[in-house]
Amino acid sequence: MAECIFCRIIAGEIPATAVYEDAEIFAFRDINPAAPTHILVIPRRHIGTLNDTGEEDRALLGRLLEAARVIARDQGLVAGGYRVVMNVGEGAGQSVFHAHLHVLGGRPLAWPPG
């Protein structure tokens, strides 16, 4: 997916501030943060949206959530609370069509979100 900005970040073509990575997941700071801590957690393999996953992605989806938990802990967000969000589709606010989680924290977060 040469045109996907997240694929280009993973490939090192676009700089990003990495905070976590392993063989299947890459996480980096959002360049337009919605909270003091705003980290994007993405699979290294291109998946457009949650709707594009299947049974074969079950373990990967669990690892994305586990990575979000580890990142929240490492960023000092556990005591104050944090939010993990996945927008699915344009109507829900997804602007980059490479499935990803947002880890947000560092300030009180209102509900509903928007």
Side-chain angles (χ1 to χ4, degrees):
M1 298 300 298
E3 67 279 353
C4 173
I5 191 168
F6 287 176
C7 289
R8 293 181 67 205
I9 288 170
I10 291 167
E13 296 172 12
I14 297 174
T17 304
V19 297
Y20 177 93
E21 58 183 301
D22 64 26
E24 295 182 295
I25 296 167
F26 186 74
F28 56 97
R29 296 197 182 281
D30 193 304
I31 62 170
N32 188 23
T37 300
H38 187 168
I39 296 167
L40 302 174
V41 185
I42 65 175
R44 289 184 181 274
R45 180 170 51 90
H46 183 86
I47 301 171
T49 76
L50 184 61
N51 293 329
D52 298 319
T53 63
E55 181 71 27
E56 69 280 4
D57 298 307
R58 183 177 280 183
L60 175 61
L61 293 170
R63 284 191 286 279
L64 285 168
L65 286 171
E66 175 64 12
R69 183 192 65 78
V70 168
I71 290 163
R73 180 199 66 207
D74 292 351
Q75 295 293 311
L77 300 176
V78 173
Y82 61 96
R83 182 171 291 159
V84 177
V85 176
M86 179 182 272
N87 300 320
V88 181
E90 194 173 322
Q94 185 176 6
S95 59
V96 176
F97 286 84
H98 183 124
H100 58 284
L101 300 177
H102 298 257
V103 177
L104 301 138
R107 68 168 172 80
L109 300 168
W111 194 262

